[in-house]
Amino acid sequence: MPQQSTPSTGRLLYVEADGGSRGNPGVAGYGALVRDPETGAVLDIEAQPLGRASNNVAEYSGMIAGLRMARQIDPDAAVHVRLDSKLVVEQMSGRWKIKHADMQKLAAEARGILPAGQVTYEWIPRAKNKDADLLSNEAMDAGAAGTEWVKARSGIKMTGSAPASAPSPASAPSPASAHDAGPPAPAERVPEPAADGAPAGVVLPRRAGRLHHVEIWVEDLEAARSSLGWLFQELGYVVSGEWSEGTSYQGAGEYLVLESGPQVSAGGHDRLRPGLNHVAFHAGSRTEVDALTDAAQSRGFTLLFADRHPFAGGRSHYAAYLEAPNGFEVELVADPA
């Protein structure tokens, strides 16, 4: 049994977690579960797709989800985290330094879930982490298909029970918890309740036809990160993956990618040529659109159609049309007055 640096008044819980990325970075997801070590019972499970992210981001996200589940089950529990990622175990145990800024943020978030004295970490071989591995693959399958992971359909079944009063655990950090997912999509009726856990007659969201992700190729990645990347984050997207030739930004379901590399042809983007002209974003109230427009111009964006701003799109359409330094056009749309 793991030794605790500070005595815990709760029971012992195991957290098993895993994360993966098909392409690293690529379609990513995590899986986590909480187990009773005495009986082997699975008390709760969680899995989520992460859009495009690195393997390390997925591994940390799975651990965070597992710690949150354990806290919901028993906030006083002694929690022993079992991972097949040597990197995460050594970093969280304090034996290896965390150099990457994104990993530092995720590690800090993980450490803030429970007091340090209640949590220990152990590396285990992948063969002993099969349940969490299956959950993470279910999440990646869902992400690749543009669908949600559904707990009732998981191949891992809960064999124990958490306290009835405990709410569902929060998943890994995502802007979806703080931002509206947008207008409702077309829906399909699910007549059978057993297949997905929904009562008969419940209308579930249908994702076919909804935006999955947008990938923008750029010549100068650093310049794009400081302009378009900055704007994405101001709009509520969060960095979900970063590698030498790109960065991904997770939104409330969809994600955006800025990418460069040897495959990118020379020459800047021309929004007036055939192809994509611009991408439009909900940007909040009129006051928020104005403030973001001013901030964007200070970072090198050009206000288009200035003589007709902010009604260049029509008298009832309050919006700012901006051209980024690399030529890409974005539209910031205000909520209806």
Side-chain angles (χ1 to χ4, degrees), residues 17-180:
D18 196 17
S21 174
R22 295 170 182 170
N24 197 27
V27 175
Y30 70 79
L33 61 94
V34 179
R35 191 186 301 276
D36 184 332
E38 293 186 2
T39 65
V42 176
L43 305 179
D44 206 353
I45 61 174
E46 174 71 17
Q48 288 295 332
L50 292 171
R52 184 184 177 99
S54 69
N55 186 74
N56 289 340
V57 167
E59 295 275 12
Y60 265 99
S61 298
M63 176 185 62
I64 288 170
L67 287 168
R68 286 177 171 167
M69 283 191 291
R71 183 180 63 185
Q72 293 285 3
I73 293 170
D74 185 350
D76 296 318
V79 178
H80 189 54
V81 180
R82 294 155 54 88
L83 309 170
D84 60 35
S85 171
K86 184 75 169 176
L87 175 73
V88 177
V89 168
E90 294 300 315
Q91 289 180 337
M92 290 302 297
S93 299
R95 292 185 289 269
W96 291 2
K97 291 184 178 180
I98 306 175
K99 298 180 179 179
H100 197 285
D102 288 342
M103 299 304 106
Q104 290 173 352
K105 293 176 183 177
L106 290 171
E109 182 171 357
R111 290 185 177 119
I113 296 171
L114 287 167
Q118 289 180 221
V119 185
T120 54
Y121 301 89
E122 177 190 3
W123 175 84
I124 58 174
R126 181 169 294 276
K128 292 186 177 182
N129 203 30
K130 290 182 178 179
D131 289 346
D133 177 72
L134 176 59
L135 288 167
S136 70
N137 275 284
E138 289 177 353
M140 286 184 279
D141 289 343
T147 60
E148 295 180 351
W149 175 80
V150 179
K151 181 183 287 190
R153 295 177 180 170
S154 176
I156 304 300
K157 303 301 180 185
M158 290 183 289
T159 53
S161 60
S165 61
S168 299
S171 58
S174 168
S177 62
H179 297 274
D180 186 4

Side-chain angles (χ1 to χ4, degrees), residues 244-258:
S244 61
E245 296 180 346
T247 303
S248 59
Y249 304 84
Q250 183 66 51
E254 82 290 345
Y255 64 96
L256 309 173
V257 180
L258 295 175

Side-chain angles (χ1 to χ4, degrees), residues 312-329:
R315 286 187 292 179
S316 61
H317 186 73
Y318 195 103
Y321 295 82
L322 298 165
E323 184 178 82
N326 55 11
F328 285 95
E329 180 183 343

Side-chain angles (χ1 to χ4, degrees), residues 217-220 260 263-270 273 325-328:
W217 285 21
V218 298
E219 271 194 298
D220 188 334
S260 186
Q263 298 88 358
V264 179
S265 300
H269 177 76
D270 185 348
R273 297 188 64 180
N326 55 11
F328 285 95

Side-chain angles (χ1 to χ4, degrees), residues 221-245:
L221 179 59
E222 289 305 316
R225 283 171 171 163
S226 64
S227 57
L228 287 172
W230 165 83
L231 181 61
F232 296 160
Q233 291 178 85
E234 290 294 307
L235 289 167
Y237 291 79
V238 295
V239 174
S240 58
E242 196 166 50
W243 58 105
S244 61
E245 296 180 346

